[in-house]
Amino acid sequence: MTKEMAEILKVVLECIQTAVVLAGGLWAYARFFKEGTHRPRIEMDVSCSDLGLNHGSRALAFRISATNHGHIDFVFRDLRIRIRGVAREKELRIKEIDTLTGKTPYLEFSEGDRKSHSIIPAKFKYFFVRPGVTQHFSYITTVPASWAIASTRVSFKYPTTGEIHTTEKAFSLGSGE
């Protein structure tokens, strides 16, 4: 092999190496940044069990399900719940909410606390969910026996972006008897 052929072969190999490194970089960019494989991906749901009446209050058990579809552990440092209701004897009222397409009528839940509350006990500091796992968290509380419908909203903030993730559902409650 001549010296010129060796130089040409060396340049070709360096070009191939550069192309492989660039292809690897593009793949890593697409995989980790565009697809977000190492970003948190949480799917949440909430369900409610009516545990019955006792001395003018109704006991409700909420089950918050969080499924981690990401590839890293997800830590909830603050998982919040808000419960509002509609009293049985009151007329159902609609309120107009400003949305992206104009005003939209929503059922007004006028009873209960407007603030949300964390369900993570201070002694635990956080809850977590491993990748590929659905973790269930319980929250048991009472509401007035006069409520016919309860609406609950569960929310948390993604730590890296500060975006709020919520799930919201309404539940029919048993009779006031």
Side-chain angles (χ1 to χ4, degrees):
M1 180 182 286
T2 66
K3 189 174 182 181
E4 291 174 356
M5 285 295 285
E7 286 295 321
I8 291 173
L9 189 57
K10 184 178 175 184
V11 169
V12 169
L13 286 175
E14 287 174 358
C15 289
I16 291 173
Q17 283 179 326
T18 303
V20 168
V21 168
L22 284 173
L26 289 173
W27 176 84
Y29 173 77
R31 180 86 172 129
F32 295 106
F33 294 101
K34 281 293 199 186
E35 291 179 21
T37 58
H38 281 69
R39 274 188 251 146
R41 294 175 185 258
I42 300 297
E43 177 184 346
M44 259 192 340
D45 192 28
V46 62
S47 60
C48 178
S49 297
D50 185 343
L51 303 178
L53 294 171
N54 189 349
H55 293 37
S57 293
R58 177 174 305 284
L60 299 178
F62 292 94
R63 183 178 186 188
I64 301 161
S65 302
T67 303
N68 186 346
H69 292 291
H71 296 288
I72 57 173
D73 288 357
F74 186 79
V75 175
F76 290 97
R77 299 214 180 271
D78 191 16
L79 184 58
R80 303 185 77 71
I81 190 166
R82 182 185 72 188
I83 304 161
R84 309 264 302 145
V86 175
R88 187 168 279 100
E89 67 276 356
K90 289 195 175 176
E91 178 183 346
L92 295 179
R93 292 180 19 187
I94 297 294
K95 67 179 180 177
E96 298 274 325
I97 302 288
D98 288 326
T99 64
L100 296 175
T101 57
K103 296 212 179 273
T104 302
Y106 277 80
L107 180 61
E108 183 176 24
F109 290 89
S110 55
E111 307 283 324
D113 193 354
R114 292 193 180 280
K115 292 175 59 179
S116 61
H117 303 280
S118 180
I119 67 164
I120 300 174
K123 67 181 180 180
F124 292 156
K125 296 188 175 101
Y126 61 87
F127 290 157
F128 71 94
V129 185
R130 299 258 188 237
V133 172
T134 298
Q135 185 71 41
H136 304 287
F137 308 108
S138 294
Y139 177 71
I140 303 167
T141 191
T142 61
V143 297
S146 62
W147 284 14
I149 305 169
S151 171
T152 186
R153 179 180 183 181
V154 178
S155 62
F156 69 91
K157 284 185 181 179
Y158 282 105
T160 53
T161 63
E163 293 178 321
I164 297 175
H165 185 117
T166 65
T167 187
E168 195 166 357
K169 280 193 178 174
F171 303 96
S172 177
L173 304 177
S175 69
E177 302 167 0

